[in-house]
Amino acid sequence: MRSLPTAPPTFPNLQLSLLRIGVPVLLLAIAFSAFAVEPDVVAESPDWVQLFLGLFGGLALFLGGLQLLSEGMKKAAGQALKPE
């Protein structure tokens, strides 16, 4: 059996794909290089109360959102998730 010659694949969206990948990588590289520079000024101690309140407040919002999401998905599924 004789095989037909195949044309090389074309990539019409190659530039768009490279742009989608390249821009975030470039921005991350800039951010990492900015934070990697040694500061000339000695940093003062962080405000631990504000740090912990922000951390636990964010965690509370995240867990509350997960609970709302799970309740909504249970309502959307209807009887499919109920045991017999």
Coordinates of all heavy atoms in Angstrom, one line a residue:
M1 N 0.8 -1.2 0.0 CA 0.0 0.0 0.0 C 0.9 1.2 0.0 O 1.9 1.3 0.7 CB -0.9 0.0 1.2 CG -1.9 1.0 1.3 SD -3.0 0.7 2.6 CE -4.3 1.7 2.2
R2 N 0.5 2.2 -0.8 CA 1.3 3.4 -0.9 C 0.8 4.5 -0.1 O -0.4 4.8 0.0 CB 1.2 3.8 -2.4 CG 2.2 4.8 -2.8 CD 2.2 5.0 -4.3 NE 2.8 6.2 -4.6 CZ 2.8 6.8 -5.8 NH1 2.2 6.2 -6.7 NH2 3.5 7.9 -6.0
S3 N 1.7 5.1 0.7 CA 1.2 6.2 1.6 C 1.2 7.5 0.8 O 2.1 7.8 0.0 CB 2.1 6.3 2.8 OG 3.4 6.6 2.4
L4 N 0.3 8.4 1.2 CA 0.2 9.7 0.6 C 1.2 10.6 1.3 O 1.4 10.5 2.5 CB -1.2 10.2 0.7 CG -2.3 9.4 0.0 CD1 -3.6 9.9 0.4 CD2 -2.1 9.5 -1.5
P5 N 1.8 11.5 0.6 CA 2.7 12.5 1.2 C 1.9 13.4 2.1 O 0.8 13.9 1.7 CB 3.3 13.2 0.1 CG 2.4 13.0 -1.1 CD 1.7 11.7 -0.9
T6 N 2.4 13.7 3.3 CA 1.7 14.5 4.2 C 2.4 15.9 4.2 O 3.6 16.0 4.1 CB 1.7 13.9 5.6 OG1 3.0 13.8 6.1 CG2 1.0 12.6 5.7
A7 N 1.6 16.9 4.4 CA 2.1 18.3 4.4 C 2.5 18.5 5.9 O 2.0 18.0 6.8 CB 1.0 19.2 4.0
P8 N 3.6 19.3 6.0 CA 4.0 19.7 7.4 C 2.9 20.4 8.1 O 2.1 21.2 7.5 CB 5.2 20.5 7.2 CG 5.2 21.0 5.8 CD 4.4 20.0 5.0
P9 N 2.8 20.2 9.4 CA 1.7 20.9 10.1 C 1.9 22.4 10.2 O 3.1 22.9 10.2 CB 1.8 20.3 11.5 CG 3.2 19.8 11.7 CD 3.6 19.4 10.3
T10 N 0.8 23.2 10.1 CA 0.9 24.6 10.2 C 0.4 25.0 11.6 O -0.5 24.4 12.1 CB 0.1 25.3 9.1 OG1 -1.3 24.9 9.2 CG2 0.6 24.9 7.7
F11 N 0.9 26.1 12.1 CA 0.5 26.6 13.4 C 0.1 28.0 13.2 O 0.9 29.0 13.4 CB 1.7 26.5 14.4 CG 2.2 25.1 14.6 CD1 3.4 24.7 14.0 CD2 1.5 24.2 15.3 CE1 3.9 23.4 14.1 CE2 2.0 22.9 15.5 CZ 3.1 22.5 14.9
P12 N -1.2 28.3 12.9 CA -1.7 29.6 12.7 C -1.7 30.5 14.0 O -1.5 31.7 13.9 CB -3.1 29.5 12.1 CG -3.5 28.1 12.6 CD -2.3 27.3 12.7
N13 N -1.8 29.8 15.1 CA -1.9 30.6 16.4 C -0.6 30.4 17.2 O -0.6 30.6 18.4 CB -3.1 30.1 17.2 CG -4.4 30.4 16.5 OD1 -4.5 31.4 15.9 ND2 -5.4 29.6 16.7
L14 N 0.5 30.1 16.5 CA 1.7 29.9 17.2 C 2.2 31.2 17.9 O 2.6 31.2 19.1 CB 2.8 29.4 16.3 CG 4.2 29.2 16.9 CD1 4.1 28.1 18.0 CD2 5.2 28.8 15.9
Q15 N 2.1 32.3 17.2 CA 2.5 33.6 17.8 C 1.6 34.0 19.0 O 2.1 34.5 20.0 CB 2.4 34.7 16.8 CG 3.5 34.6 15.7 CD 3.3 35.7 14.6 OE1 2.3 36.3 14.5 NE2 4.4 35.9 13.9
L16 N 0.3 33.7 18.9 CA -0.6 34.0 20.0 C -0.3 33.1 21.2 O -0.2 33.6 22.3 CB -2.0 33.8 19.6 CG -3.1 34.1 20.6 CD1 -3.0 35.6 21.0 CD2 -4.5 33.8 20.1
S17 N 0.0 31.8 20.9 CA 0.4 30.9 22.0 C 1.7 31.3 22.7 O 1.8 31.3 23.9 CB 0.5 29.5 21.5 OG -0.7 29.1 21.0
L18 N 2.7 31.7 21.9 CA 3.9 32.2 22.5 C 3.8 33.5 23.3 O 4.4 33.6 24.3 CB 5.0 32.4 21.4 CG 5.5 31.1 20.7 CD1 6.5 31.4 19.6 CD2 6.2 30.2 21.7
L19 N 2.9 34.3 22.8 CA 2.6 35.6 23.5 C 1.9 35.3 24.8 O 2.3 35.9 25.9 CB 1.8 36.5 22.6 CG 1.5 37.9 23.2 CD1 2.9 38.6 23.2 CD2 0.6 38.6 22.3
R20 N 1.0 34.3 24.8 CA 0.3 34.0 26.1 C 1.2 33.4 27.1 O 1.0 33.5 28.3 CB -0.8 33.0 25.8 CG -2.1 33.5 25.2 CD -3.1 32.5 25.0 NE -4.4 33.0 24.6 CZ -5.4 32.3 24.3 NH1 -5.3 31.0 24.3 NH2 -6.5 32.9 23.9
I21 N 2.2 32.6 26.7 CA 3.1 32.0 27.6 C 4.3 33.0 27.9 O 4.7 33.1 29.1 CB 3.7 30.7 27.0 CG1 2.6 29.7 26.8 CG2 4.8 30.2 27.8 CD1 3.0 28.5 26.1
G22 N 4.7 33.7 27.0 CA 5.9 34.6 27.2 C 5.7 35.8 28.1 O 6.5 36.1 28.9
V23 N 4.5 36.4 28.0 CA 4.2 37.6 28.8 C 4.2 37.3 30.2 O 4.9 37.9 31.0 CB 3.0 38.3 28.3 CG1 2.5 39.4 29.2 CG2 3.2 38.9 26.9
P24 N 3.5 36.3 30.7 CA 3.5 35.9 32.1 C 4.9 35.5 32.6 O 5.2 35.9 33.7 CB 2.5 34.8 32.3 CG 1.6 34.9 31.1 CD 2.4 35.5 30.0
V25 N 5.6 34.8 31.8 CA 6.9 34.4 32.2 C 7.8 35.6 32.4 O 8.6 35.7 33.3 CB 7.5 33.3 31.2 CG1 9.0 33.1 31.5 CG2 6.7 32.0 31.3
L26 N 7.7 36.5 31.5 CA 8.5 37.7 31.5 C 8.2 38.6 32.8 O 9.0 39.1 33.5 CB 8.3 38.6 30.3 CG 9.1 39.9 30.2 CD1 10.6 39.6 30.1 CD2 8.6 40.7 29.0
L27 N 6.9 38.7 33.0 CA 6.4 39.4 34.2 C 6.9 38.8 35.5 O 7.3 39.5 36.5 CB 4.9 39.6 34.2 CG 4.4 40.5 33.1 CD1 2.9 40.5 33.2 CD2 4.9 41.9 33.3
L28 N 6.8 37.5 35.6 CA 7.3 36.7 36.8 C 8.8 36.9 36.9 O 9.3 37.1 38.0 CB 7.0 35.3 36.7 CG 5.6 34.9 37.0 CD1 5.3 33.4 36.7 CD2 5.3 35.2 38.4
A29 N 9.6 36.9 35.8 CA 11.0 37.1 35.9 C 11.3 38.5 36.4 O 12.3 38.7 37.3 CB 11.7 36.9 34.5
I30 N 10.6 39.5 36.0 CA 10.8 40.9 36.5 C 10.5 41.0 38.0 O 11.2 41.6 38.7 CB 10.0 41.9 35.6 CG1 10.5 41.9 34.2 CG2 10.0 43.2 36.3 CD1 9.7 42.7 33.3
A31 N 9.4 40.3 38.4 CA 9.0 40.4 39.8 C 10.0 39.7 40.7 O 10.4 40.2 41.7 CB 7.6 39.8 40.0
F32 N 10.5 38.5 40.2 CA 11.5 37.8 41.0 C 12.8 38.6 41.1 O 13.4 38.6 42.2 CB 11.7 36.4 40.5 CG 10.6 35.4 40.8 CD1 10.2 34.6 39.8 CD2 10.1 35.3 42.0 CE1 9.2 33.7 40.0 CE2 9.0 34.5 42.3 CZ 8.6 33.6 41.3
S33 N 13.2 39.2 40.0 CA 14.4 39.9 40.1 C 14.3 41.2 41.0 O 15.3 41.6 41.6 CB 14.9 40.3 38.7 OG 14.0 41.2 38.1
A34 N 13.1 41.8 41.0 CA 12.9 42.9 41.9 C 13.0 42.6 43.3 O 13.5 43.3 44.2 CB 11.6 43.6 41.5
F35 N 12.4 41.4 43.7 CA 12.4 41.0 45.1 C 13.7 40.3 45.5 O 14.0 40.2 46.7 CB 11.3 40.0 45.4 CG 9.9 40.7 45.4 CD1 9.0 40.4 44.5 CD2 9.7 41.6 46.4 CE1 7.8 41.0 44.5 CE2 8.4 42.2 46.5 CZ 7.5 42.0 45.5
A36 N 14.6 39.9 44.6 CA 15.8 39.3 44.9 C 16.9 40.3 45.2 O 17.9 40.0 45.8 CB 16.3 38.5 43.7
V37 N 16.7 41.6 44.9 CA 17.7 42.6 45.2 C 17.7 42.9 46.7 O 16.7 42.9 47.4 CB 17.3 43.9 44.5 CG1 18.2 45.1 44.9 CG2 17.2 43.7 43.0
E38 N 18.9 42.9 47.3 CA 19.1 43.2 48.7 C 18.7 44.6 49.0 O 19.2 45.6 48.4 CB 20.6 43.0 49.1 CG 21.0 41.5 49.0 CD 20.5 40.7 50.2 OE1 20.3 41.3 51.3 OE2 20.2 39.5 50.0
P39 N 17.9 44.8 50.0 CA 17.5 46.2 50.4 C 18.7 46.8 51.1 O 19.4 46.2 51.9 CB 16.3 46.0 51.2 CG 16.4 44.6 51.8 CD 17.1 43.8 50.7
D40 N 18.8 48.1 51.0 CA 19.8 48.9 51.7 C 19.4 49.2 53.1 O 20.2 49.3 54.0 CB 20.1 50.2 51.0 CG 20.8 50.0 49.7 OD1 21.4 48.9 49.5 OD2 20.7 50.8 48.8
V41 N 18.1 49.3 53.3 CA 17.5 49.6 54.6 C 17.1 48.3 55.3 O 16.5 47.4 54.7 CB 16.3 50.5 54.5 CG1 15.7 50.9 55.8 CG2 16.6 51.7 53.6
V42 N 17.4 48.2 56.6 CA 17.0 47.1 57.4 C 15.5 47.2 57.7 O 15.0 48.2 58.1 CB 17.8 47.0 58.7 CG1 17.3 45.9 59.6 CG2 19.3 46.9 58.5
A43 N 14.8 46.1 57.4 CA 13.4 46.1 57.5 C 13.0 46.0 59.0 O 13.7 45.3 59.8 CB 12.7 44.9 56.8
E44 N 12.0 46.7 59.4 CA 11.5 46.6 60.8 C 10.6 45.3 60.9 O 10.2 44.7 60.0 CB 10.7 47.8 61.1 CG 9.5 48.1 60.3 CD 8.8 49.4 60.6 OE1 9.5 50.4 60.6 OE2 7.6 49.3 60.9
S45 N 10.4 45.0 62.1 CA 9.6 43.8 62.5 C 8.1 44.0 61.9 O 7.6 45.1 62.1 CB 9.6 43.6 64.0 OG 8.8 42.5 64.3
P46 N 7.6 42.9 61.4 CA 6.2 43.1 60.9 C 5.2 43.2 62.0 O 5.4 42.7 63.1 CB 6.0 41.8 60.0 CG 6.9 40.8 60.6 CD 8.1 41.6 61.1
D47 N 4.1 43.7 61.7 CA 3.0 43.8 62.7 C 2.3 42.5 62.7 O 1.5 42.1 61.8 CB 2.0 45.0 62.3 CG 0.9 45.2 63.3 OD1 1.0 44.6 64.4 OD2 -0.1 45.9 63.0
W48 N 2.6 41.7 63.8 CA 2.1 40.3 63.8 C 0.6 40.2 64.0 O -0.1 39.3 63.4 CB 2.8 39.6 65.0 CG 4.2 39.4 64.7 CD1 5.3 40.1 65.2 CD2 4.8 38.5 63.8 NE1 6.5 39.6 64.7 CE2 6.2 38.7 63.8 CE3 4.3 37.5 62.9 CZ2 7.1 37.9 63.0 CZ3 5.2 36.8 62.1 CH2 6.5 37.0 62.2
V49 N 0.0 41.2 64.7 CA -1.5 41.2 64.8 C -2.2 41.3 63.5 O -3.1 40.6 63.1 CB -1.9 42.2 65.8 CG1 -3.5 42.3 65.9 CG2 -1.4 42.0 67.2
Q50 N -1.7 42.3 62.7 CA -2.3 42.5 61.4 C -2.1 41.4 60.5 O -2.9 41.0 59.7 CB -1.8 43.8 60.8 CG -2.4 44.2 59.5 CD -1.8 45.5 58.9 OE1 -0.9 46.1 59.5 NE2 -2.4 46.0 57.9
L51 N -0.9 40.8 60.6 CA -0.5 39.6 59.8 C -1.5 38.4 60.0 O -2.0 37.8 59.1 CB 0.9 39.2 60.0 CG 1.4 38.1 59.2 CD1 1.6 38.5 57.7 CD2 2.7 37.6 59.7
F52 N -1.7 38.1 61.3 CA -2.5 37.0 61.7 C -4.0 37.3 61.4 O -4.7 36.4 61.0 CB -2.3 36.6 63.2 CG -1.0 35.9 63.4 CD1 -0.1 36.4 64.3 CD2 -0.7 34.7 62.7 CE1 1.1 35.7 64.6 CE2 0.5 34.1 62.9 CZ 1.4 34.6 63.9
L53 N -4.4 38.5 61.6 CA -5.8 38.8 61.3 C -6.1 38.7 59.8 O -7.1 38.2 59.4 CB -6.2 40.2 61.8 CG -6.4 40.4 63.3 CD1 -6.6 41.8 63.7 CD2 -7.5 39.5 63.8
G54 N -5.2 39.2 59.0 CA -5.3 39.0 57.6 C -5.3 37.6 57.1 O -6.1 37.2 56.3
L55 N -4.4 36.8 57.7 CA -4.3 35.4 57.4 C -5.6 34.6 57.7 O -6.1 33.9 56.9 CB -3.1 34.8 58.0 CG -2.9 33.3 57.8 CD1 -2.5 33.0 56.4 CD2 -1.8 32.8 58.8
F56 N -6.0 34.8 58.9 CA -7.2 34.0 59.4 C -8.5 34.6 58.8 O -9.4 33.9 58.5 CB -7.3 34.0 60.9 CG -6.2 33.1 61.5 CD1 -5.3 33.7 62.4 CD2 -6.0 31.8 61.1 CE1 -4.3 32.9 63.0 CE2 -5.0 31.0 61.6 CZ -4.1 31.6 62.6
G57 N -8.5 35.9 58.5 CA -9.7 36.5 57.8 C -9.8 35.9 56.4 O -10.9 35.6 55.9
G58 N -8.7 35.9 55.7 CA -8.7 35.3 54.4 C -9.0 33.8 54.4 O -9.8 33.4 53.5
L59 N -8.5 33.1 55.3 CA -8.9 31.7 55.5 C -10.4 31.5 55.7 O -11.0 30.6 55.2 CB -8.1 31.0 56.6 CG -8.3 29.5 56.8 CD1 -7.8 28.8 55.5 CD2 -7.5 29.1 58.0
A60 N -10.9 32.4 56.6 CA -12.4 32.3 56.9 C -13.2 32.6 55.7 O -14.2 31.9 55.4 CB -12.7 33.3 58.0
L61 N -12.8 33.6 54.9 CA -13.6 33.9 53.7 C -13.5 32.8 52.7 O -14.4 32.4 52.0 CB -13.0 35.2 53.0 CG -13.4 36.5 53.7 CD1 -12.7 37.6 53.1 CD2 -14.9 36.7 53.7
F62 N -12.3 32.2 52.6 CA -12.1 31.0 51.6 C -13.0 29.8 52.0 O -13.7 29.3 51.2 CB -10.6 30.6 51.6 CG -10.3 29.4 50.8 CD1 -10.4 29.5 49.4 CD2 -10.0 28.2 51.4 CE1 -10.1 28.4 48.6 CE2 -9.7 27.1 50.6 CZ -9.8 27.2 49.2
L63 N -12.9 29.5 53.3 CA -13.7 28.3 53.8 C -15.2 28.6 53.7 O -16.0 27.7 53.3 CB -13.4 28.0 55.2 CG -11.9 27.4 55.3 CD1 -11.6 27.2 56.8 CD2 -11.8 26.1 54.5
G64 N -15.6 29.8 54.0 CA -17.1 30.2 53.8 C -17.5 30.1 52.3 O -18.6 29.6 52.0
G65 N -16.6 30.5 51.4 CA -16.9 30.4 50.0 C -17.0 29.0 49.6 O -17.9 28.6 48.7
L66 N -16.2 28.1 50.1 CA -16.2 26.7 49.8 C -17.5 26.1 50.2 O -18.1 25.3 49.6 CB -15.0 26.0 50.4 CG -13.7 26.1 49.6 CD1 -12.7 25.3 50.4 CD2 -13.9 25.5 48.2
Q67 N -18.0 26.5 51.4 CA -19.2 26.0 52.0 C -20.4 26.4 51.1 O -21.3 25.6 50.8 CB -19.4 26.4 53.4 CG -20.6 25.8 54.1 CD -20.8 26.3 55.5 OE1 -20.0 27.1 56.0 NE2 -21.8 25.7 56.2
L68 N -20.4 27.7 50.7 CA -21.5 28.1 49.9 C -21.5 27.4 48.5 O -22.5 27.1 48.0 CB -21.4 29.6 49.6 CG -21.8 30.5 50.8 CD1 -21.5 32.0 50.5 CD2 -23.2 30.3 51.2
L69 N -20.3 27.2 48.0 CA -20.2 26.5 46.7 C -20.7 25.1 46.8 O -21.4 24.6 45.9 CB -18.7 26.5 46.3 CG -18.4 25.8 45.0 CD1 -19.0 26.5 43.8 CD2 -16.9 25.7 44.8
S70 N -20.3 24.4 47.9 CA -20.8 23.0 48.0 C -22.3 22.9 48.2 O -22.9 22.0 47.7 CB -20.0 22.3 49.2 OG -20.4 22.9 50.4
E71 N -22.9 23.8 49.0 CA -24.3 23.8 49.1 C -25.0 24.1 47.8 O -26.0 23.5 47.5 CB -24.7 24.9 50.1 CG -24.4 24.5 51.6 CD -24.6 25.7 52.5 OE1 -25.2 26.7 52.1 OE2 -24.3 25.5 53.7
G72 N -24.5 25.0 47.0 CA -25.1 25.3 45.7 C -25.0 24.1 44.8 O -25.9 23.8 44.0
M73 N -23.8 23.4 44.8 CA -23.7 22.2 43.9 C -24.6 21.1 44.4 O -25.1 20.4 43.5 CB -22.2 21.8 43.9 CG -21.3 22.7 43.2 SD -19.6 22.2 43.1 CE -19.9 21.0 41.8
K74 N -24.8 21.0 45.7 CA -25.8 19.9 46.2 C -27.2 20.3 45.7 O -27.9 19.4 45.3 CB -25.7 19.8 47.7 CG -24.5 19.2 48.2 CD -24.5 19.2 49.7 CE -23.2 18.6 50.2 NZ -23.1 18.7 51.7
K75 N -27.6 21.6 45.8 CA -28.9 21.9 45.3 C -29.0 21.8 43.8 O -30.1 21.3 43.3 CB -29.2 23.4 45.6 CG -29.4 23.6 47.1 CD -29.7 25.1 47.4 CE -29.9 25.3 48.8 NZ -30.1 26.8 49.2
A76 N -28.0 22.0 43.0 CA -28.0 21.9 41.6 C -28.1 20.4 41.2 O -28.7 20.1 40.2 CB -26.8 22.5 41.0
A77 N -27.4 19.5 42.0 CA -27.4 18.1 41.6 C -28.8 17.5 41.9 O -29.2 16.5 41.3 CB -26.3 17.4 42.4
G78 N -29.5 18.0 42.9 CA -30.8 17.5 43.2 C -30.7 16.1 43.9 O -30.0 15.9 44.8
Q79 N -31.5 15.1 43.3 CA -31.6 13.8 43.9 C -30.4 12.9 43.6 O -30.2 11.8 44.1 CB -32.9 13.1 43.5 CG -34.1 13.8 44.0 CD -34.2 13.8 45.5 OE1 -33.9 12.8 46.1 NE2 -34.8 14.8 46.1
A80 N -29.5 13.4 42.7 CA -28.4 12.5 42.2 C -27.4 12.2 43.3 O -26.8 11.2 43.3 CB -27.7 13.2 41.0
L81 N -27.3 13.1 44.3 CA -26.3 12.9 45.4 C -26.9 12.3 46.6 O -26.2 12.0 47.6 CB -25.6 14.2 45.7 CG -24.7 14.8 44.6 CD1 -24.1 16.2 45.1 CD2 -23.6 13.9 44.4
K82 N -28.2 12.2 46.7 CA -28.8 11.7 47.9 C -28.7 10.2 48.0 O -29.0 9.4 47.0 CB -30.3 12.1 47.9 CG -30.5 13.6 47.8 CD -31.4 14.0 48.9 CE -31.5 15.5 48.7 NZ -31.9 16.2 49.7
P83 N -28.3 9.6 49.1 CA -28.2 8.1 49.3 C -29.6 7.5 49.3 O -30.6 8.2 49.8 CB -27.5 7.9 50.6 CG -27.7 9.2 51.3 CD -27.9 10.3 50.3
E84 N -29.7 6.3 48.9 CA -31.1 5.6 48.9 C -31.4 5.0 50.2 O -30.6 4.7 51.0 CB -31.0 4.6 47.8 CG -30.9 5.2 46.5 CD -31.0 4.1 45.4 OE1 -31.5 3.0 45.6 OE2 -30.4 4.4 44.3

